[in-house]
């Protein structure tokens, strides 16, 4: 379960609204940027990735935007559903060692 | 048909003990990892093995020793457990060709008392 005083950034939305989760990254040399969803008691689950030479990529109900000028990444979730409630992480991926560097998570709560 | 499985799911143990966490993947991936998630949900890589060879060791205390008997297994042994080792440990695996194939296990919650 969640720890007391978790102090994660939180986003609370109504079911059916669109959600935008933001992330700042540090390494300009990263090859890919990825969004993961982590539900309670589970491991991170891949949502969508974007290559560093792109600025937008769309998936099913999700869009990732990459702004390399300000080192900013965002995840947009359309028509948010209660099942979208989770902690969302951005991650950077690059180099030959296949290491993921995670950002601070954001707790998304969807109210029915 | 679990892709990345780790055992045990929960582990409660006393300070000073030695414990192991096991991980197995059936995805045919070449690379396996251990990540640590602290109480603030921050995820950080500890180790990475590619085809049984250590390729990442991120300033982890010597009390932590990964072992990869084959490409499908990466175990984590921890000696002389300390209170600060309490965390959730995630095993992961990835192919060398697709970042989207990076797959995590469901985690082992270690509590040191």
């Amino acid at each position: 379960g969640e720890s007391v005083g978790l102090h994660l950034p939180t986003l609370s939305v109504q079911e059916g609204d669109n959600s935008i989760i933001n992330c700042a990254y540090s390494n300009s040399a990263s090859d890919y940027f990825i969004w993961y969803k982590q539900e309670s008691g589970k491991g991170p689950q891949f949502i969508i990735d974007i290559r560093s030479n792109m600025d937008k990529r769309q998936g099913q109900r999700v869009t990732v935007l990459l702004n390399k000028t300000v080192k900013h990444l965002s995840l947009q979730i359309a028509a948010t559903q209660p099942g979208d409630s989770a902690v969302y992480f951005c991650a950077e991926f690059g180099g030959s060692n296949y290491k993921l560097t995670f950002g601070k998570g954001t707790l998304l709560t969807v109210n029915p | 048909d679990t892709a990345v499985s780790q055992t045990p799911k929960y582990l409660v143990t006393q300070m000073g003990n030695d414990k192991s966490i096991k991980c197995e993947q059936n995805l045919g991936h070449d690379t396996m990892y251990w990540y640590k998630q602290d109480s603030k949900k921050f995820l950080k890589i500890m180790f990475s093995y590619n085809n049984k060879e250590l390729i990442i060791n991120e300033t982890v205390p010597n009390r932590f020793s990964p072992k990869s008997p084959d490409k499908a297994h990466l175990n984590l042994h921890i000696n002389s457990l300390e209170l600060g080792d309490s965390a959730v440990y995630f095993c992961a695996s990835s192919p060398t060709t697709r970042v989207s194939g990076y797959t995590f296990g469901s985690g082992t919650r270690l509590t040191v008392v």
Side-chain angles (χ1 to χ4, degrees), chain B residues 28-62:
Chain B
H29 290 167
D30 293 324
T31 310
M32 295 186 72
Y33 313 81
W34 280 107
Y35 283 81
K36 179 180 179 180
Q37 187 170 46
D38 63 21
S39 59
K40 292 182 169 55
K41 294 288 189 182
F42 185 64
L43 268 161
K44 186 168 164 53
I45 192 165
M46 299 172 69
F47 299 103
S48 169
Y49 270 72
N50 181 270
N51 280 318
K52 299 194 300 174
E53 283 193 37
L54 180 67
I55 56 172
I56 297 176
N57 182 343
E58 289 277 312
T59 59
V60 176
N62 291 339

Side-chain angles (χ1 to χ4, degrees), chain B residues 43-113:
Chain B
L43 268 161
K44 186 168 164 53
I45 192 165
M46 299 172 69
F47 299 103
S48 169
Y49 270 72
N50 181 270
N51 280 318
K52 299 194 300 174
E53 283 193 37
L54 180 67
I55 56 172
I56 297 176
N57 182 343
E58 289 277 312
T59 59
V60 176
N62 291 339
R63 298 182 295 104
F64 290 79
S65 53
K67 287 196 170 44
S68 181
D70 56 57
K71 207 171 75 164
H73 295 84
L74 180 62
N75 303 323
L76 183 65
H77 188 76
I78 316 169
N79 289 328
S80 305
L81 278 154
E82 300 177 358
L83 293 177
D85 297 331
S86 295
V88 182
Y89 292 84
F90 287 99
C91 178
S93 72
S94 72
T96 53
T97 53
R98 287 184 302 118
V99 66
S100 61
Y102 219 109
T103 306
F104 284 83
S106 57
T108 295
R109 181 175 291 276
L110 172 66
T111 304
V112 183
V113 297

Side-chain angles (χ1 to χ4, degrees), chain B residues 2-7 22-26 32 91 104-106:
Chain B
T2 305
V4 179
S5 60
Q6 48 184 116
T7 55
K22 295 187 176 181
C23 180
E24 176 182 5
Q25 54 98 1
N26 61 4
M32 295 186 72
C91 178
F104 284 83
S106 57

Side-chain angles (χ1 to χ4, degrees), chain A residues 5 21 30-31 49 53 60 64-65 88 95 99 103:
Chain A
I21 300 170
S30 295
D31 297 320
D49 62 356
N53 61 356
Q60 190 176 16
V64 56
L65 299 177
Y88 288 80
K99 177 175 106 172

